Amino acid sequence: MLVAGNWKMNMDLTSARQLATAVVSEVGDPGPVQVAVCPPFINLDSTFSVLHGSPIRLGAQNMHDEVWGAFTGEISAPMLRAVGCHYVIVGHSERRRLFGESNEGVNRKIIQAQKHKLVPIVCVGETLEERDAGREVAVVSEQVRASLAGIHNADGSELVVAYEPVWAIGTGRTASPAQAQAMHAIIRRLLVEQFGSDTGADTHILYGGSVKPGSAAELFSKPDVDGGLIGGASLKADEFALIVEAAGEVA
Ligand code: PEP
């Protein structure tokens, strides 16, 4: 089980430190659950100094697919490693939708992340229009296949996939546990096809989209839901800790 908080473009220096401190204390010992928070780039360094020595890992929300050079405003994988990142979110639907990220671009980022020993949390998910048109399986399958083309994943620990239906992100509308499980099973099958049965089974598939303390336990109890990528609820340490606790109960 893995629970990762995506703070998005929230928190300044002071509030990020306060939130990280509260998360460390509220989460305590998460037992078998792996836990991470993903603050904005500017707060990675200071957040790492709070997390250091705790079981909570650091992740970034994005990265560039080149290592360095003339890419004004961008941040690369080795820079993220240098400030203590373990994870990097890649291809979040907000990046795909608002910043034009393609499956091919996501694929390049995953390759570069892995080269620098970062674990990419690769986001996939259909829009409401795509679901209403009955195309959700085709869309998500294509995202998984194209984003992960040629990627390695020796024992399931080099990669995380997050299924985040776009219509459930920040809307308060969560996919039902059955809807989540149905798509996770399809993603699992694709992972098994690409990486073999053991690695496919051991790769975390997270659900994301308006997960709250009240909905987490039932979602996490589904066989192919291995935790959550949490947006809004990760900004409140007590809610985030309850979600981690729910993951611990089913772990
Ligand atoms: C997200 O953006 O990854 C997310 C799941 O957000 P929320 O939990 O707020 O829907």
Side-chain angles (χ1 to χ4, degrees), residues 6 8 92 94 164 168-170 208-211 229-232:
N6 175 11
K8 308 196 185 187
H92 190 280
E94 285 152 15
E164 300 205 301
I169 295 181
S210 298
V211 177
L229 182 55
I230 317 299

Side-chain angles (χ1 to χ4, degrees), residues 7 10-17 39-49 58:
W7 293 1
N10 295 294
M11 303 292 144
D12 62 14
L13 179 62
T14 308
S15 51
R17 271 207 199 108
F41 288 137
I42 191 80
N43 297 324
L44 286 170
D45 192 27
S46 60
T47 301
F48 184 65
S49 62
L58 187 68

Side-chain angles (χ1 to χ4, degrees), residues 6 12 14 17 51 67 71 77 101 105 114 144 154 207 209 216-217 240:
N6 175 11
D12 62 14
T14 308
R17 271 207 199 108
L51 301 181
V67 174
F71 302 100
E101 292 199 2
Q114 290 188 329
V144 171
Y207 171 77
F240 186 65

